Amino acid sequence: MKISMVVPCLLGLEGLIAAELRELGAADVAAENGRVFFAGDANMLARANICSRFAERVQIVVGRFKATTFDELFDQTKTLLWEQWLDVRDAFPVKGYSINSALFSTSDLQSIIKKAAVTRLKQVHGQVLLVETGAVHQIQFALQKDNVLLTLDTSGTGLHKRGYRLQAGGAPLKETLSAALCSISRLRPYHTLYDPMCGSGTILIEGALMAANIAPGVNRPFAAERWTQIPREVWQQERDRAKSLVKPAEQFAAFGYDLDPTMLDLARENAKRAGVADYITFAQGDATEFAPHTDRGTVITNPPYGERLGDAAQAERLITQLGRAFEQKRGFSYTMISSCEKFEELFGRRADGRRKLYNGMMKCNAFMYYK
């Protein structure tokens, strides 16, 4: 059965996800702001959950339509084939959001959508009461300019939570954004990766997972694994497939530095849980005195900035110091993510490339130096 699906994502990652889904074998890939639509069978659904490095979650598209009144919303929601994905005992809570739409009350939207789905399922299943004691099928709604998208979440916990990071530092990057920085920096399995301000090690860990082609979700569970509508063997097939594609990156090495020894201990534990500890060396060090010990290197880091940690003046001084420490030389590239509008001025040279990204709701730029 062909399933229509959508991946919500951090703004700025749509192109990366579209390319990733095509590489995974998805059909009908189409990117929009903050989400990417695609299609495939049950194996593709499981594969996207297990293998996507940049997606926030994978959702089944149940329906798309326009509604400006609650009657329209109820009637059109009721016509959708909920019974394809919801058995008589399945639980189906409702949540979502509305932006620039005539219908904007979240609680009312939840209530109407829930009532319509219940009405449909009672009629189809011939039931007076739906007990909802079974597996959770989270209904998500998104209203944008009166356009309604209704989906079922298959991921459960967000895909950025790989399972290896039990704790993090004061202002960590999401795993998905860290992986994206590695991708746009064109990290390869034969590169040496540096993060001079590594914190809990997320950039280095995501880089090592990418270098060895280890699927980020291969060791974590997903909500749809408990659904009767998707055969359990599908998930095992896709995990086996992902494991068969792992390629030990014998030429890859990563080095992480931080001033805080507690954070370094945490980073080491995270790397162990991710299965990439052998690729990464952590040591105490000051980023402003960065001195790489290899002839070539890919430097990717997330320097603290004022909006994030509360001291803009200190953050700006650090950017200036990094401009002196990150020497422009053959064989080295530097990627830094920052919300600072004066970054290039403070760093001391214009970036060779810039990419607009969002760290949560914070607008940032990835500044890339490679010449």
Side-chain angles (χ1 to χ4, degrees), residues 230-261:
I230 300 176
R232 288 186 179 273
E233 56 265 28
V234 164
W235 296 94
Q236 190 58 53
Q237 289 167 5
E238 290 304 320
R239 284 195 170 89
D240 290 344
R241 174 190 175 277
K243 290 175 182 177
S244 74
L245 296 174
V246 174
K247 298 176 182 178
E250 297 176 356
Q251 299 179 64
F252 178 80
F255 298 89
Y257 305 97
D258 202 278
L259 288 171
D260 186 348

mmCIF file of all heavy atoms in Angstrom, residues 230-261:
data_model
loop_
_atom_site.group_PDB
_atom_site.id
_atom_site.type_symbol
_atom_site.label_atom_id
_atom_site.label_comp_id
_atom_site.label_asym_id
_atom_site.label_seq_id
_atom_site.Cartn_x
_atom_site.Cartn_y
_atom_site.Cartn_z
ATOM 1 N N ILE A 230 0.953 -1.914 10.994
ATOM 2 C CA ILE A 230 2.266 -2.066 10.348
ATOM 3 C C ILE A 230 2.908 -3.340 10.887
ATOM 4 O O ILE A 230 3.156 -3.455 12.099
ATOM 5 C CB ILE A 230 3.162 -0.847 10.626
ATOM 6 C CG1 ILE A 230 2.499 0.424 10.069
ATOM 7 C CG2 ILE A 230 4.542 -1.038 9.994
ATOM 8 C CD1 ILE A 230 3.259 1.682 10.370
ATOM 9 N N PRO A 231 3.184 -4.315 10.033
ATOM 10 C CA PRO A 231 3.765 -5.580 10.492
ATOM 11 C C PRO A 231 5.081 -5.375 11.253
ATOM 12 O O PRO A 231 5.923 -4.569 10.840
ATOM 13 C CB PRO A 231 4.000 -6.357 9.195
ATOM 14 C CG PRO A 231 3.051 -5.748 8.202
ATOM 15 C CD PRO A 231 2.965 -4.298 8.578
ATOM 16 N N ARG A 232 5.246 -6.109 12.333
ATOM 17 C CA ARG A 232 6.467 -5.971 13.146
ATOM 18 C C ARG A 232 7.721 -6.308 12.353
ATOM 19 O O ARG A 232 8.781 -5.734 12.569
ATOM 20 C CB ARG A 232 6.371 -6.874 14.379
ATOM 21 C CG ARG A 232 5.384 -6.377 15.431
ATOM 22 C CD ARG A 232 5.440 -7.237 16.678
ATOM 23 N NE ARG A 232 4.516 -6.747 17.696
ATOM 24 C CZ ARG A 232 4.823 -5.814 18.590
ATOM 25 N NH1 ARG A 232 6.035 -5.271 18.570
ATOM 26 N NH2 ARG A 232 3.947 -5.420 19.480
ATOM 27 N N GLU A 233 7.581 -7.251 11.408
ATOM 28 C CA GLU A 233 8.773 -7.660 10.654
ATOM 29 C C GLU A 233 9.319 -6.534 9.795
ATOM 30 O O GLU A 233 10.498 -6.537 9.443
ATOM 31 C CB GLU A 233 8.470 -8.885 9.785
ATOM 32 C CG GLU A 233 7.319 -8.736 8.822
ATOM 33 C CD GLU A 233 6.003 -9.271 9.391
ATOM 34 O OE1 GLU A 233 5.845 -9.261 10.625
ATOM 35 O OE2 GLU A 233 5.151 -9.675 8.575
ATOM 36 N N VAL A 234 8.474 -5.566 9.444
ATOM 37 C CA VAL A 234 8.936 -4.415 8.664
ATOM 38 C C VAL A 234 10.027 -3.670 9.414
ATOM 39 O O VAL A 234 11.051 -3.282 8.838
ATOM 40 C CB VAL A 234 7.753 -3.478 8.340
ATOM 41 C CG1 VAL A 234 8.263 -2.110 7.876
ATOM 42 C CG2 VAL A 234 6.863 -4.091 7.274
ATOM 43 N N TRP A 235 9.831 -3.457 10.698
ATOM 44 C CA TRP A 235 10.810 -2.731 11.511
ATOM 45 C C TRP A 235 12.116 -3.510 11.622
ATOM 46 O O TRP A 235 13.203 -2.928 11.547
ATOM 47 C CB TRP A 235 10.235 -2.438 12.897
ATOM 48 C CG TRP A 235 9.050 -1.524 12.819
ATOM 49 C CD1 TRP A 235 7.736 -1.880 12.767
ATOM 50 C CD2 TRP A 235 9.078 -0.096 12.725
ATOM 51 N NE1 TRP A 235 6.945 -0.763 12.668
ATOM 52 C CE2 TRP A 235 7.731 0.348 12.635
ATOM 53 C CE3 TRP A 235 10.098 0.856 12.721
ATOM 54 C CZ2 TRP A 235 7.379 1.691 12.539
ATOM 55 C CZ3 TRP A 235 9.762 2.196 12.621
ATOM 56 C CH2 TRP A 235 8.420 2.606 12.531
ATOM 57 N N GLN A 236 12.017 -4.832 11.774
ATOM 58 C CA GLN A 236 13.230 -5.644 11.855
ATOM 59 C C GLN A 236 13.966 -5.646 10.528
ATOM 60 O O GLN A 236 15.203 -5.556 10.481
ATOM 61 C CB GLN A 236 12.878 -7.079 12.267
ATOM 62 C CG GLN A 236 14.107 -7.921 12.600
ATOM 63 C CD GLN A 236 14.944 -7.325 13.711
ATOM 64 O OE1 GLN A 236 14.441 -7.017 14.789
ATOM 65 N NE2 GLN A 236 16.246 -7.126 13.462
ATOM 66 N N GLN A 237 13.208 -5.731 9.429
ATOM 67 C CA GLN A 237 13.835 -5.686 8.106
ATOM 68 C C GLN A 237 14.614 -4.388 7.912
ATOM 69 O O GLN A 237 15.745 -4.401 7.402
ATOM 70 C CB GLN A 237 12.754 -5.790 7.021
ATOM 71 C CG GLN A 237 12.107 -7.144 6.885
ATOM 72 C CD GLN A 237 10.848 -7.104 6.016
ATOM 73 O OE1 GLN A 237 10.513 -6.066 5.438
ATOM 74 N NE2 GLN A 237 10.149 -8.224 5.925
ATOM 75 N N GLU A 238 14.034 -3.279 8.321
ATOM 76 C CA GLU A 238 14.685 -1.993 8.106
ATOM 77 C C GLU A 238 15.865 -1.784 9.052
ATOM 78 O O GLU A 238 16.854 -1.142 8.686
ATOM 79 C CB GLU A 238 13.674 -0.857 8.220
ATOM 80 C CG GLU A 238 12.683 -0.820 7.056
ATOM 81 C CD GLU A 238 13.385 -0.727 5.708
ATOM 82 O OE1 GLU A 238 14.378 0.005 5.591
ATOM 83 O OE2 GLU A 238 12.922 -1.401 4.756
ATOM 84 N N ARG A 239 15.767 -2.312 10.270
ATOM 85 C CA ARG A 239 16.939 -2.239 11.161
ATOM 86 C C ARG A 239 18.078 -3.093 10.612
ATOM 87 O O ARG A 239 19.243 -2.689 10.648
ATOM 88 C CB ARG A 239 16.551 -2.674 12.578
ATOM 89 C CG ARG A 239 15.778 -1.615 13.348
ATOM 90 C CD ARG A 239 15.730 -1.928 14.839
ATOM 91 N NE ARG A 239 15.194 -0.774 15.562
ATOM 92 C CZ ARG A 239 13.905 -0.561 15.797
ATOM 93 N NH1 ARG A 239 13.010 -1.449 15.361
ATOM 94 N NH2 ARG A 239 13.494 0.506 16.448
ATOM 95 N N ASP A 240 17.746 -4.277 10.112
ATOM 96 C CA ASP A 240 18.774 -5.143 9.521
ATOM 97 C C ASP A 240 19.398 -4.473 8.302
ATOM 98 O O ASP A 240 20.615 -4.531 8.097
ATOM 99 C CB ASP A 240 18.162 -6.492 9.115
ATOM 100 C CG ASP A 240 17.782 -7.354 10.321
ATOM 101 O OD1 ASP A 240 18.263 -7.064 11.441
ATOM 102 O OD2 ASP A 240 16.993 -8.305 10.136
ATOM 103 N N ARG A 241 18.558 -3.835 7.493
ATOM 104 C CA ARG A 241 19.074 -3.129 6.326
ATOM 105 C C ARG A 241 20.033 -2.033 6.742
ATOM 106 O O ARG A 241 21.125 -1.895 6.166
ATOM 107 C CB ARG A 241 17.912 -2.528 5.517
ATOM 108 C CG ARG A 241 18.348 -1.654 4.359
ATOM 109 C CD ARG A 241 17.176 -0.892 3.755
ATOM 110 N NE ARG A 241 17.630 0.037 2.708
ATOM 111 C CZ ARG A 241 18.101 1.254 2.940
ATOM 112 N NH1 ARG A 241 18.184 1.714 4.184
ATOM 113 N NH2 ARG A 241 18.512 2.017 1.932
ATOM 114 N N ALA A 242 19.639 -1.229 7.738
ATOM 115 C CA ALA A 242 20.488 -0.126 8.192
ATOM 116 C C ALA A 242 21.824 -0.643 8.724
ATOM 117 O O ALA A 242 22.881 -0.077 8.421
ATOM 118 C CB ALA A 242 19.758 0.678 9.268
ATOM 119 N N LYS A 243 21.778 -1.703 9.486
ATOM 120 C CA LYS A 243 23.018 -2.264 10.049
ATOM 121 C C LYS A 243 23.932 -2.813 8.961
ATOM 122 O O LYS A 243 25.165 -2.746 9.068
ATOM 123 C CB LYS A 243 22.676 -3.348 11.064
ATOM 124 C CG LYS A 243 22.043 -2.811 12.345
ATOM 125 C CD LYS A 243 21.610 -3.928 13.275
ATOM 126 C CE LYS A 243 20.926 -3.367 14.518
ATOM 127 N NZ LYS A 243 20.425 -4.445 15.406
ATOM 128 N N SER A 244 23.343 -3.322 7.894
ATOM 129 C CA SER A 244 24.156 -3.880 6.800
ATOM 130 C C SER A 244 24.899 -2.797 6.029
ATOM 131 O O SER A 244 25.866 -3.090 5.313
ATOM 132 C CB SER A 244 23.266 -4.674 5.840
ATOM 133 O OG SER A 244 22.469 -3.811 5.037
ATOM 134 N N LEU A 245 24.452 -1.555 6.152
ATOM 135 C CA LEU A 245 25.053 -0.450 5.408
ATOM 136 C C LEU A 245 26.139 0.290 6.193
ATOM 137 O O LEU A 245 26.748 1.227 5.670
ATOM 138 C CB LEU A 245 23.964 0.542 4.983
ATOM 139 C CG LEU A 245 22.918 -0.008 4.003
ATOM 140 C CD1 LEU A 245 21.815 1.006 3.772
ATOM 141 C CD2 LEU A 245 23.563 -0.415 2.683
ATOM 142 N N VAL A 246 26.364 -0.109 7.439
ATOM 143 C CA VAL A 246 27.418 0.523 8.235
ATOM 144 C C VAL A 246 28.776 0.226 7.608
ATOM 145 O O VAL A 246 29.072 -0.905 7.228
ATOM 146 C CB VAL A 246 27.385 0.015 9.699
ATOM 147 C CG1 VAL A 246 28.581 0.554 10.484
ATOM 148 C CG2 VAL A 246 26.079 0.420 10.372
ATOM 149 N N LYS A 247 29.584 1.274 7.482
ATOM 150 C CA LYS A 247 30.921 1.130 6.919
ATOM 151 C C LYS A 247 31.932 1.758 7.883
ATOM 152 O O LYS A 247 32.035 2.990 7.954
ATOM 153 C CB LYS A 247 31.013 1.829 5.563
ATOM 154 C CG LYS A 247 30.077 1.270 4.506
ATOM 155 C CD LYS A 247 30.166 2.074 3.220
ATOM 156 C CE LYS A 247 29.192 1.550 2.169
ATOM 157 N NZ LYS A 247 29.234 2.367 0.931
ATOM 158 N N PRO A 248 32.662 0.951 8.640
ATOM 159 C CA PRO A 248 33.636 1.516 9.571
ATOM 160 C C PRO A 248 34.542 2.527 8.878
ATOM 161 O O PRO A 248 35.157 2.234 7.848
ATOM 162 C CB PRO A 248 34.422 0.283 10.039
ATOM 163 C CG PRO A 248 33.448 -0.842 9.910
ATOM 164 C CD PRO A 248 32.640 -0.522 8.671
ATOM 165 N N ALA A 249 34.594 3.717 9.437
ATOM 166 C CA ALA A 249 35.357 4.810 8.825
ATOM 167 C C ALA A 249 36.782 4.794 9.383
ATOM 168 O O ALA A 249 37.119 5.533 10.311
ATOM 169 C CB ALA A 249 34.673 6.144 9.098
ATOM 170 N N GLU A 250 37.620 3.982 8.785
ATOM 171 C CA GLU A 250 38.969 3.768 9.324
ATOM 172 C C GLU A 250 39.847 5.005 9.228
ATOM 173 O O GLU A 250 40.798 5.158 9.995
ATOM 174 C CB GLU A 250 39.622 2.591 8.597
ATOM 175 C CG GLU A 250 38.881 1.268 8.829
ATOM 176 C CD GLU A 250 39.478 0.121 8.028
ATOM 177 O OE1 GLU A 250 40.417 0.389 7.237
ATOM 178 O OE2 GLU A 250 39.009 -1.021 8.190
ATOM 179 N N GLN A 251 39.539 5.908 8.290
ATOM 180 C CA GLN A 251 40.354 7.114 8.139
ATOM 181 C C GLN A 251 39.790 8.316 8.887
ATOM 182 O O GLN A 251 40.397 9.378 8.903
ATOM 183 C CB GLN A 251 40.461 7.468 6.647
ATOM 184 C CG GLN A 251 41.133 6.394 5.796
ATOM 185 C CD GLN A 251 41.192 6.802 4.341
ATOM 186 O OE1 GLN A 251 41.846 7.775 3.981
ATOM 187 N NE2 GLN A 251 40.510 6.067 3.481
ATOM 188 N N PHE A 252 38.628 8.138 9.503
ATOM 189 C CA PHE A 252 37.974 9.255 10.178
ATOM 190 C C PHE A 252 38.467 9.383 11.617
ATOM 191 O O PHE A 252 38.688 8.391 12.315
ATOM 192 C CB PHE A 252 36.459 9.040 10.182
ATOM 193 C CG PHE A 252 35.693 10.129 10.901
ATOM 194 C CD1 PHE A 252 35.424 11.335 10.273
ATOM 195 C CD2 PHE A 252 35.254 9.955 12.209
ATOM 196 C CE1 PHE A 252 34.720 12.344 10.929
ATOM 197 C CE2 PHE A 252 34.551 10.948 12.869
ATOM 198 C CZ PHE A 252 34.286 12.143 12.227
ATOM 199 N N ALA A 253 38.634 10.620 12.060
ATOM 200 C CA ALA A 253 38.972 10.896 13.458
ATOM 201 C C ALA A 253 38.329 12.210 13.863
ATOM 202 O O ALA A 253 38.161 13.109 13.041
ATOM 203 C CB ALA A 253 40.489 10.964 13.659
ATOM 204 N N ALA A 254 37.961 12.311 15.117
ATOM 205 C CA ALA A 254 37.331 13.533 15.610
ATOM 206 C C ALA A 254 37.956 13.926 16.934
ATOM 207 O O ALA A 254 38.330 13.061 17.743
ATOM 208 C CB ALA A 254 35.823 13.329 15.763
ATOM 209 N N PHE A 255 38.055 15.236 17.160
ATOM 210 C CA PHE A 255 38.673 15.760 18.374
ATOM 211 C C PHE A 255 37.781 16.859 18.945
ATOM 212 O O PHE A 255 37.383 17.786 18.233
ATOM 213 C CB PHE A 255 40.068 16.319 18.077
ATOM 214 C CG PHE A 255 41.025 15.284 17.559
ATOM 215 C CD1 PHE A 255 41.123 15.033 16.191
ATOM 216 C CD2 PHE A 255 41.799 14.529 18.429
ATOM 217 C CE1 PHE A 255 41.982 14.072 15.701
ATOM 218 C CE2 PHE A 255 42.674 13.563 17.945
ATOM 219 C CZ PHE A 255 42.761 13.329 16.595
ATOM 220 N N GLY A 256 37.461 16.731 20.219
ATOM 221 C CA GLY A 256 36.612 17.710 20.878
ATOM 222 C C GLY A 256 37.298 18.315 22.083
ATOM 223 O O GLY A 256 37.956 17.606 22.866
ATOM 224 N N TYR A 257 37.154 19.630 22.226
ATOM 225 C CA TYR A 257 37.789 20.344 23.337
ATOM 226 C C TYR A 257 36.745 21.192 24.069
ATOM 227 O O TYR A 257 35.810 21.723 23.474
ATOM 228 C CB TYR A 257 38.913 21.244 22.818
ATOM 229 C CG TYR A 257 39.935 20.505 21.989
ATOM 230 C CD1 TYR A 257 39.848 20.501 20.600
ATOM 231 C CD2 TYR A 257 40.975 19.792 22.589
ATOM 232 C CE1 TYR A 257 40.768 19.820 19.826
ATOM 233 C CE2 TYR A 257 41.899 19.107 21.819
ATOM 234 C CZ TYR A 257 41.795 19.123 20.438
ATOM 235 O OH TYR A 257 42.701 18.432 19.670
ATOM 236 N N ASP A 258 36.926 21.326 25.353
ATOM 237 C CA ASP A 258 36.051 22.175 26.154
ATOM 238 C C ASP A 258 36.804 22.560 27.423
ATOM 239 O O ASP A 258 37.690 21.818 27.881
ATOM 240 C CB ASP A 258 34.750 21.445 26.511
ATOM 241 C CG ASP A 258 33.624 22.409 26.847
ATOM 242 O OD1 ASP A 258 33.570 22.888 28.001
ATOM 243 O OD2 ASP A 258 32.804 22.702 25.961
ATOM 244 N N LEU A 259 36.458 23.710 27.980
ATOM 245 C CA LEU A 259 37.106 24.152 29.219
ATOM 246 C C LEU A 259 36.583 23.413 30.436
ATOM 247 O O LEU A 259 37.274 23.306 31.453
ATOM 248 C CB LEU A 259 36.890 25.659 29.406
ATOM 249 C CG LEU A 259 37.667 26.578 28.465
ATOM 250 C CD1 LEU A 259 37.183 28.013 28.621
ATOM 251 C CD2 LEU A 259 39.170 26.482 28.753
ATOM 252 N N ASP A 260 35.367 22.882 30.346
ATOM 253 C CA ASP A 260 34.699 22.277 31.496
ATOM 254 C C ASP A 260 34.920 20.760 31.517
ATOM 255 O O ASP A 260 34.392 20.042 30.662
ATOM 256 C CB ASP A 260 33.196 22.581 31.422
ATOM 257 C CG ASP A 260 32.429 22.120 32.652
ATOM 258 O OD1 ASP A 260 33.002 21.374 33.465
ATOM 259 O OD2 ASP A 260 31.247 22.490 32.781
ATOM 260 N N PRO A 261 35.674 20.238 32.489
ATOM 261 C CA PRO A 261 35.932 18.794 32.535
ATOM 262 C C PRO A 261 34.666 17.972 32.763
ATOM 263 O O PRO A 261 34.575 16.827 32.319
ATOM 264 C CB PRO A 261 36.917 18.634 33.699
ATOM 265 C CG PRO A 261 36.770 19.876 34.516
ATOM 266 C CD PRO A 261 36.392 20.959 33.572
#
